[in-house]
Each structure stands twice: as structure tokens, then as C-alpha cells.
Amino acid sequence: MNWPFAPLHSVCRPRQWPTIPKSKLTDKGYAVYGANGIIGYYSEYNHETPTLLITCRGATCGSINVCDSKSYVTGNAMALDDLDTSKVTLEFLGHYLKNFDFHGIITGVAQPQITAQSLKRLNVPLPPLAEQKRIAGILDTADALRTKRREALAQLDQLLQSTFLDLFGDPVTNPKGWEKQALNEWLENIDSGWSPKCEQRSVTDKEWGVLKLGAITWCVYDESENKALPAALSPRPKLEVKRGDILFARKNTHELVAAAAYVYDTRPKLMLPDLIFRLRLKADCEVEKLFLWQLLIEPHQRSSIQKLAGGAAGSMPNISKAKLKGVELIKPPLTLQQKFARIVESVERQKARHRAHLAELDTLFASLQHRAFTGQL
């Protein structure tokens, strides 16, 4: 591959714009983009045309998005403003950055971040524009197949949410008048995890490892998000994640904190990190685990729990055990919870099939990306 490379700063102007307080976001107006996409709407916009965005704070640092025309981009995303389209197309650069490993660009420990200064170390390829368009076209076609599979998954998620609301109503306003109880009344314990300094790789078959926060960031358990425990450290078997566990992200960005996931299955020897709680229910609490999981991730309920997060300036917000235990939740009859749990199981089986197909498409897309940016496509 004989493509020339140039500093990212030579083809655009990376910038972080002022962040809008949540209290000023509205339900209509111009879309507001945070770290991971649209977070609300506002009366003004700061980007006239679609612009590449790099998530620059939190666990998803380095993720790539594109804002719509007439959007407001907040400081949780680095906007690649003033793109020089005589040198590079937005589509080609977007695909290249999605394939780029940002680990050498990300700074910070407690709060990972990408700065305009750190992006000065990033060089990008500049093949002829016709070649850029050809490569982007191939990758766009392959990516469209993945998008359709994700849309199918999103529709199934929406089906679960609408079914939940039909059966139980809004869990925060509680229009059906269900009994409410503090979460603590249902719990035997909230287990805390452990985050030793681990290897910068995933576990092999026989090793112990520790989950990364990404294992539950999207409210679906992902065992592949882990780091291997160093051989010099002894594992803590009591922290091993088991089938049937309910996991809860106590710390993350404001948009991602309070994620919850149900563990349908897992490989052995994976332990909880200290950023994730395990909620252990009492045997006689008359609460279905699948109902509790869906209740915690119901958008209004989760938003209510997210408001409990606090922390020092510059750090990721954290939800304490005491505050989480005090959350009041609806408690419909067990028979209704069980009915809903059966629906959840059916939908989750369909989602599992879609995720398997999506994984195959992801593998294909990764191969195409590799070939594209090594001059083999």
C-alpha cells in the first residue's frame, strides 16, 4: 500500500463544544449529541452539516458517530469540524477511524479521555478520492447488512418495552397503583467486585479473569469483555459470575451508569470488577429475576435511578449501595411477573439468533476493513 498519510489535524479541526446541562434539554428541537449519540434536543444547533464525532470521555472513548445536519454536539464528543473534502471524504475517514485502535491516543485512568492535543499523534491515509469512494461504498454495503440486523434487535427490544408498559404501566408514575417496596426488601445482598491490575488481553480457556465494564454497558451480558488475571494473583471464587446473576453498573458516564444485565450463560472463572454490583435476591421475595432486570432497564425507571449518581468533578458518577437499596420499585403480583418472564425468554431466544447472525456479519466486516486499509480490497 503506497497511500500517503497526513496528520488528522491537517484535514479537519478537532473541537469540543460546550456541554448543555441536562436540565436544558427538551423533547423537541435540534438533536443533541453526547458521547454515544442523541441524548435529547435543544433550541439551537452548532453543526450545519453532518460531522464525524469521536467519543472523547468515558468507557466508550474512541467510538465514532456522525451527527445529522443542524445538530448540537456536546463536549463529550470531539467534533472533526471543517473537514477538507478535497483531501478526504467523510465516509472514508469514518470507516478508517472506526477501524483505528485509539488506545495510544486515550489518556486518563479514572476518566478515560481523548483531547485535541492527543489527536495530534493520529495520522490518516489519503488515497485518491476515487479510491476512497470505492472503498467506502463496499464497506457501506456490508455495514448496511449489520444495520438491518441491529434494527431487528432494536425492534425486539421495543416489543419488550411496550409489553412491559402494557402489563405494568410506567414504573415511576405507577398508574396501575401497584404496591411499591424498597429494593433492599428484596435483596439478600449486593456483592461488590474487585479490580486488580490485569493483563491487557482477554482470558484463555483455563485462566481466571475480571469482567470489564463493557460486559454490561448495553444491558446485555457480554462475557468477551474481560481481562486476564495475572498469574501472580490468586482468584477470588466468591466473585465468580454465575448463570442467573443480575449485574448492575454502579459507575460510568451519566448516559451509561445504571446499566443492568441478566446472565443467561457464561464461561467459568470470570469475576466481578468493582464497578459492577451483583444483586442477590432473597429466596422468598416473590420477585422474578427477569422481571427485575427489565424493570431496572425500563427507560423511565433507569433514568430515575441515574439521578442518584454522584461524584467529584471530573470523575465518573457513582451510585452507592445505600442509595440503590433505597430505590422504591413496583411489585406487581408474582403470577403477572412470571407471565412477563416467559415473554422475555421467548424474545431473548429470538434476539440470541439475531446476535449470532450479527456476529458473523461483524467478522465479515472486520475482514473487509482489514483488507481495505492494507490495500488488499
Side-chain angles (χ1 to χ4, degrees):
M1 182 178 67
N2 297 316
W3 295 342
F5 277 71
L8 178 67
H9 280 64
S10 71
V11 297
C12 65
R13 186 168 60 91
R15 178 178 175 183
Q16 284 177 272
W17 290 78
T19 296
I20 301 172
K22 279 190 174 181
S23 60
K24 292 189 176 181
L25 295 178
T26 61
D27 294 328
K28 58 183 180 179
Y30 300 107
V32 177
Y33 284 77
N36 299 285
I38 296 174
I39 59 172
Y41 297 87
Y42 191 53
S43 58
E44 300 175 11
Y45 62 89
N46 55 17
H47 283 76
E48 181 76 33
T49 60
T51 302
L52 280 169
L53 311 176
I54 303 176
T55 302
C56 59
R57 288 179 184 156
T60 57
C61 230
S63 298
I64 306 299
N65 292 291
V66 180
C67 71
D68 291 329
S69 300
K70 294 186 177 180
S71 299
Y72 193 104
V73 179
T74 72
N76 289 324
M78 185 74 68
L80 303 188
D81 291 346
D82 303 327
L83 187 67
D84 186 349
T85 55
S86 69
K87 295 179 179 178
V88 65
T89 69
L90 181 147
E91 294 78 12
F92 176 83
L93 181 57
H95 281 298
Y96 179 77
L97 293 176
K98 288 177 182 177
N99 189 55
F100 183 77
D101 183 356
F102 278 91
H103 283 101
I105 305 296
I106 295 172
T107 62
V109 179
Q111 172 75 309
Q113 62 179 343
I114 291 174
T115 64
Q117 185 66 28
S118 66
L119 281 176
K120 289 183 178 179
R121 301 197 294 270
L122 199 165
N123 293 319
V124 297
L126 298 177
L129 288 177
E131 179 68 357
Q132 292 184 34
K133 292 175 182 178
R134 185 185 74 85
I135 289 172
I138 293 171
L139 294 177
D140 282 345
T141 299
D143 200 26
L145 296 174
R146 301 196 304 161
T147 298
K148 287 182 180 179
R149 193 64 65 179
R150 291 195 195 97
E151 288 173 349
L153 285 166
Q155 288 172 358
L156 288 170
D157 284 334
Q158 290 170 6
L159 173 62
L160 273 184
Q161 288 180 19
S162 62
T163 302
F164 182 99
L165 292 175
D166 285 343
L167 290 175
F168 308 115
D170 185 314
V172 176
T173 59
N174 193 19
K176 297 190 180 243
W178 304 118
E179 174 189 5
K180 278 197 167 189
Q181 291 183 343
L183 176 61
N184 190 47
E185 295 187 44
W186 304 351
L187 296 176
E188 180 179 312
N189 195 39
I190 296 180
D191 295 337
S192 297
W194 175 45
S195 291
K197 186 173 182 180
C198 290
E199 306 285 353
Q200 294 301 311
R201 60 175 178 81
S202 298
V203 296
T204 60
D205 288 345
K206 297 181 180 180
E207 288 182 307
W208 280 87
V210 179
L211 290 178
K212 296 192 289 188
L213 188 55
I216 67 168
T217 295
W218 308 113
C219 298
V220 176
Y221 178 68
D222 182 359
E223 66 175 27
S224 69
E225 288 286 323
N226 67 71
K227 289 185 178 182
L229 187 71
L233 294 178
S234 298
R236 300 182 182 182
K238 288 185 177 180
L239 297 180
E240 184 178 13
V241 176
K242 301 286 189 180
R243 182 184 301 177
D245 281 348
I246 298 175
L247 307 181
F248 178 90
R250 70 170 182 84
K251 193 172 186 177
N252 208 324
T253 63
H254 283 285
E255 293 89 351
L256 299 177
V257 72
Y262 180 82
V263 181
Y264 277 95
D265 203 0
T266 183
R267 58 151 289 163
K269 297 184 176 181
L270 291 179
M271 295 177 287
L272 288 174
D274 72 355
L275 298 180
I276 294 177
F277 288 147
R278 172 165 50 199
L279 309 183
R280 287 201 285 120
L281 296 178
K282 296 175 183 176
D284 60 351
C285 69
E286 295 193 342
V287 174
E288 272 284 335
K289 287 183 178 181
L290 290 175
F291 165 76
L292 175 56
W293 167 42
Q294 291 292 313
L295 173 58
L296 291 173
I297 65 175
E298 195 282 327
H300 289 174
Q301 185 66 69
R302 183 179 177 188
S303 177
S304 176
I305 296 173
Q306 285 174 326
K307 293 175 183 177
L308 302 176
S315 65
M316 289 197 293
N318 172 65
I319 298 175
S320 68
K321 281 187 183 181
K323 287 184 177 179
L324 184 58
K325 287 179 178 179
V327 172
E328 290 210 336
L329 301 170
I330 60 170
K331 188 180 181 183
L334 181 58
T335 53
L336 194 57
Q337 295 180 41
Q338 291 168 335
K339 176 182 178 180
F340 179 65
R342 289 191 293 271
I343 296 172
V344 173
E345 288 174 340
S346 175
V347 171
E348 287 297 322
R349 281 194 294 270
Q350 296 180 59
K351 288 171 65 178
R353 289 193 289 271
H354 282 296
R355 282 194 286 266
H357 292 154
L358 179 58
E360 294 175 0
L361 291 171
D362 285 343
T363 299
L364 171 63
F365 186 74
S367 173
L368 289 172
Q369 278 185 315
H370 175 74
R371 291 164 58 193
F373 298 116
T374 54
Q376 302 174 53
L377 189 60

